[in-house]
Amino acid sequence: APFFVHGSHDRDAVPAGRIGLEINAGEAFGTGHHETTTGCLHMMVRHLKQLTPRNPADIGCGTGVLAIALARLTRQPVLASDIDPIAVRTTLANARANRVGSLVNTVTATGFAHNLIRQKAPFDLILANILADPLRRLAPDFRQHLNSGGYLILSGLLKEQEKAVATAMRLQGFFMIDRLTIGEWTTLRFQG
Protein backbone atom coordinates (compact mmCIF):
# COMPACT_ATOMS: atom_id res chain seq x y z
CA ALA A 1 0.00 0.00 0.00
CA PRO A 2 1.23 3.54 -0.63
CA PHE A 3 0.75 4.49 3.02
CA PHE A 4 3.22 5.14 5.81
CA VAL A 5 1.40 5.05 9.15
CA HIS A 6 3.13 7.06 11.87
CA GLY A 7 2.58 8.96 15.10
CA SER A 8 3.02 12.72 15.38
CA HIS A 9 6.60 12.18 16.59
CA ASP A 10 7.54 10.64 13.19
CA ARG A 11 5.91 13.32 11.03
CA ASP A 12 9.22 13.99 9.24
CA ALA A 13 9.97 10.31 8.57
CA VAL A 14 7.49 9.70 5.72
CA PRO A 15 9.44 8.14 2.84
CA ALA A 16 9.32 9.84 -0.56
CA GLY A 17 6.44 8.63 -2.68
CA ARG A 18 4.38 7.37 0.27
CA ILE A 19 1.23 8.91 1.75
CA GLY A 20 1.74 9.68 5.41
CA LEU A 21 -1.12 8.80 7.75
CA GLU A 22 -0.63 10.37 11.16
CA ILE A 23 -2.41 8.14 13.67
CA ASN A 24 -2.28 8.83 17.39
CA ALA A 25 -4.02 6.05 19.29
CA GLY A 26 -4.41 7.78 22.63
CA GLU A 27 -6.84 5.59 24.59
CA ALA A 28 -8.48 4.11 21.47
CA PHE A 29 -7.83 0.70 19.97
CA GLY A 30 -5.37 0.42 17.10
CA THR A 31 -2.19 2.14 15.99
CA GLY A 32 -2.63 1.19 12.34
CA HIS A 33 0.28 -1.26 12.31
CA HIS A 34 -1.62 -4.54 12.76
CA GLU A 35 -1.65 -7.08 9.91
CA THR A 36 -5.42 -6.69 9.55
CA THR A 37 -5.08 -2.93 9.03
CA THR A 38 -2.27 -3.46 6.54
CA GLY A 39 -4.42 -6.05 4.76
CA CYS A 40 -7.37 -3.66 4.57
CA LEU A 41 -5.17 -0.84 3.25
CA HIS A 42 -3.74 -3.12 0.53
CA MET A 43 -7.23 -4.38 -0.35
CA MET A 44 -8.56 -0.81 -0.45
CA VAL A 45 -5.82 0.22 -2.89
CA ARG A 46 -6.61 -2.82 -5.10
CA HIS A 47 -10.29 -1.88 -4.99
CA LEU A 48 -9.65 1.76 -5.88
CA LYS A 49 -7.73 0.73 -9.00
CA GLN A 50 -11.08 -0.54 -10.30
CA LEU A 51 -13.70 1.68 -8.62
CA THR A 52 -14.01 4.89 -6.64
CA PRO A 53 -16.74 4.56 -3.99
CA ARG A 54 -19.16 7.47 -3.74
CA ASN A 55 -20.68 6.53 -0.38
CA PRO A 56 -18.34 4.42 1.79
CA ALA A 57 -18.56 3.48 5.47
CA ASP A 58 -15.99 2.20 7.98
CA ILE A 59 -17.83 0.17 10.64
CA GLY A 60 -15.71 -0.34 13.76
CA CYS A 61 -13.27 2.40 12.80
CA GLY A 62 -10.96 2.22 15.84
CA THR A 63 -8.51 5.13 15.42
CA GLY A 64 -9.85 5.88 11.94
CA VAL A 65 -6.96 4.61 9.81
CA LEU A 66 -9.14 3.09 7.07
CA ALA A 67 -11.65 5.95 6.89
CA ILE A 68 -8.84 8.51 6.78
CA ALA A 69 -6.92 6.60 4.10
CA LEU A 70 -10.07 6.28 2.01
CA ALA A 71 -10.87 9.99 2.37
CA ARG A 72 -7.29 10.93 1.48
CA LEU A 73 -7.31 8.76 -1.66
CA THR A 74 -10.81 9.48 -2.96
CA ARG A 75 -11.62 12.95 -1.55
CA GLN A 76 -15.10 11.49 -0.92
CA PRO A 77 -16.97 11.72 2.41
CA VAL A 78 -16.63 8.60 4.57
CA LEU A 79 -18.91 7.62 7.45
CA ALA A 80 -16.87 6.14 10.32
CA SER A 81 -18.50 4.48 13.32
CA ASP A 82 -17.35 2.63 16.40
CA ILE A 83 -18.99 1.18 19.49
CA ASP A 84 -16.42 3.06 21.64
CA PRO A 85 -16.95 6.83 22.00
CA ILE A 86 -13.21 7.28 22.70
CA ALA A 87 -12.43 5.66 19.35
CA VAL A 88 -14.87 8.00 17.63
CA ARG A 89 -13.27 11.08 19.24
CA THR A 90 -9.82 9.75 18.33
CA THR A 91 -10.90 9.15 14.72
CA LEU A 92 -12.14 12.71 14.44
CA ALA A 93 -8.90 14.10 15.89
CA ASN A 94 -6.83 11.92 13.55
CA ALA A 95 -8.96 12.94 10.56
CA ARG A 96 -8.31 16.60 11.38
CA ALA A 97 -4.56 15.92 11.80
CA ASN A 98 -4.62 14.37 8.32
CA ARG A 99 -6.55 17.30 6.81
CA VAL A 100 -9.68 15.25 6.07
CA GLY A 101 -11.76 16.32 9.08
CA SER A 102 -14.46 17.70 6.77
CA LEU A 103 -14.67 14.39 4.88
CA VAL A 104 -14.81 11.93 7.80
CA ASN A 105 -18.19 11.90 9.55
CA THR A 106 -18.11 10.02 12.86
CA VAL A 107 -20.82 8.40 14.97
CA THR A 108 -20.83 6.19 18.06
CA ALA A 109 -22.89 3.11 17.23
CA THR A 110 -23.16 -0.61 17.82
CA GLY A 111 -22.93 -2.05 14.33
CA PHE A 112 -25.39 -0.16 12.13
CA ALA A 113 -27.69 1.00 14.95
CA HIS A 114 -27.64 4.76 14.40
CA ASN A 115 -30.00 7.13 12.56
CA LEU A 116 -27.19 8.75 10.53
CA ILE A 117 -25.98 5.34 9.32
CA ARG A 118 -29.52 4.40 8.27
CA GLN A 119 -29.97 7.77 6.52
CA LYS A 120 -26.70 7.47 4.57
CA ALA A 121 -27.33 3.86 3.51
CA PRO A 122 -27.16 2.15 1.15
CA PHE A 123 -23.37 2.30 0.93
CA ASP A 124 -21.37 1.19 -2.11
CA LEU A 125 -18.37 0.13 0.01
CA ILE A 126 -18.31 -1.02 3.63
CA LEU A 127 -15.03 -1.59 5.46
CA ALA A 128 -15.12 -3.57 8.69
CA ASN A 129 -11.89 -4.53 10.44
CA ILE A 130 -13.35 -5.99 13.62
CA LEU A 131 -13.41 -9.66 14.70
CA ALA A 132 -14.76 -12.85 13.13
CA ASP A 133 -17.80 -13.32 15.41
CA PRO A 134 -19.10 -9.75 15.06
CA LEU A 135 -18.51 -9.95 11.29
CA ARG A 136 -20.66 -13.09 11.12
CA ARG A 137 -23.37 -11.50 13.28
CA LEU A 138 -23.37 -8.37 11.10
CA ALA A 139 -23.82 -10.29 7.83
CA PRO A 140 -27.58 -9.49 7.55
CA ASP A 141 -26.85 -5.83 8.37
CA PHE A 142 -24.18 -5.69 5.67
CA ARG A 143 -26.82 -6.98 3.23
CA GLN A 144 -29.38 -4.44 4.41
CA HIS A 145 -27.01 -1.43 4.27
CA LEU A 146 -25.04 -2.18 1.09
CA ASN A 147 -26.40 -1.31 -2.31
CA SER A 148 -26.87 -4.00 -4.92
CA GLY A 149 -23.49 -4.75 -6.46
CA GLY A 150 -21.67 -2.96 -3.63
CA TYR A 151 -18.51 -4.22 -1.94
CA LEU A 152 -17.38 -5.33 1.50
CA ILE A 153 -13.78 -5.35 2.72
CA LEU A 154 -13.63 -7.39 5.91
CA SER A 155 -10.79 -8.21 8.26
CA GLY A 156 -9.97 -8.95 11.87
CA LEU A 157 -10.13 -12.66 11.23
CA LEU A 158 -7.58 -15.42 11.51
CA LYS A 159 -7.00 -17.73 8.53
CA GLU A 160 -8.90 -20.54 10.26
CA GLN A 161 -11.93 -18.23 10.73
CA GLU A 162 -12.14 -17.33 7.06
CA LYS A 163 -14.46 -20.19 6.07
CA ALA A 164 -17.06 -19.38 8.76
CA VAL A 165 -17.08 -15.67 7.84
CA ALA A 166 -17.24 -16.43 4.10
CA THR A 167 -20.16 -18.83 4.69
CA ALA A 168 -22.09 -16.18 6.66
CA MET A 169 -21.57 -13.70 3.83
CA ARG A 170 -22.48 -16.22 1.13
CA LEU A 171 -25.78 -16.91 2.94
CA GLN A 172 -26.58 -13.20 2.49
CA GLY A 173 -25.83 -13.36 -1.24
CA PHE A 174 -22.26 -12.03 -1.17
CA PHE A 175 -19.57 -13.50 -3.41
CA MET A 176 -15.92 -13.52 -2.34
CA ILE A 177 -13.86 -11.89 -5.08
CA ASP A 178 -10.49 -11.36 -3.40
CA ARG A 179 -8.49 -12.40 -0.35
CA LEU A 180 -5.17 -11.42 1.15
CA THR A 181 -3.33 -13.17 3.98
CA ILE A 182 -0.63 -11.47 6.04
CA GLY A 183 0.84 -13.64 8.77
CA GLU A 184 -2.04 -15.39 10.53
CA TRP A 185 -4.61 -12.80 9.45
CA THR A 186 -6.87 -12.64 6.42
CA THR A 187 -8.63 -9.77 4.63
CA LEU A 188 -11.57 -10.63 2.36
CA ARG A 189 -13.39 -8.67 -0.32
CA PHE A 190 -16.96 -9.52 -1.30
CA GLN A 191 -19.39 -8.20 -3.84
CA GLY A 192 -23.10 -8.11 -3.06
Side-chain angles (χ1 to χ4, degrees), residues 75-129:
R75 307 309 300 173
Q76 296 288 332
V78 182
L79 181 61
S81 73
D82 201 282
I83 197 168
D84 178 6
I86 294 170
V88 172
R89 283 199 304 274
T90 303
T91 293
L92 193 53
N94 284 331
R96 288 180 181 138
N98 284 277
R99 298 173 305 287
V100 289
S102 63
L103 291 174
V104 177
N105 300 309
T106 56
V107 294
T108 303
T110 302
F112 291 85
H114 192 283
N115 282 338
L116 186 62
I117 296 173
R118 285 190 289 274
Q119 286 167 18
K120 293 218 175 249
F123 301 98
D124 55 356
L125 174 65
I126 296 174
L127 304 162
N129 181 14

Side-chain angles (χ1 to χ4, degrees), residues 46-63:
R46 280 186 195 175
H47 184 78
L48 294 177
K49 286 179 179 165
Q50 301 165 323
L51 294 159
T52 299
R54 298 274 169 242
N55 186 27
D58 179 4
I59 303 298
C61 60
T63 53

Side-chain angles (χ1 to χ4, degrees), residues 106-155:
T106 56
V107 294
T108 303
T110 302
F112 291 85
H114 192 283
N115 282 338
L116 186 62
I117 296 173
R118 285 190 289 274
Q119 286 167 18
K120 293 218 175 249
F123 301 98
D124 55 356
L125 174 65
I126 296 174
L127 304 162
N129 181 14
I130 44 180
L131 292 169
D133 286 342
L135 286 173
R136 289 197 347 254
R137 282 196 304 274
L138 284 170
D141 288 317
F142 291 139
R143 173 78 281 152
Q144 186 181 342
H145 293 88
L146 191 74
N147 66 13
S148 179
Y151 295 86
L152 296 174
I153 295 176
L154 307 180
S155 198

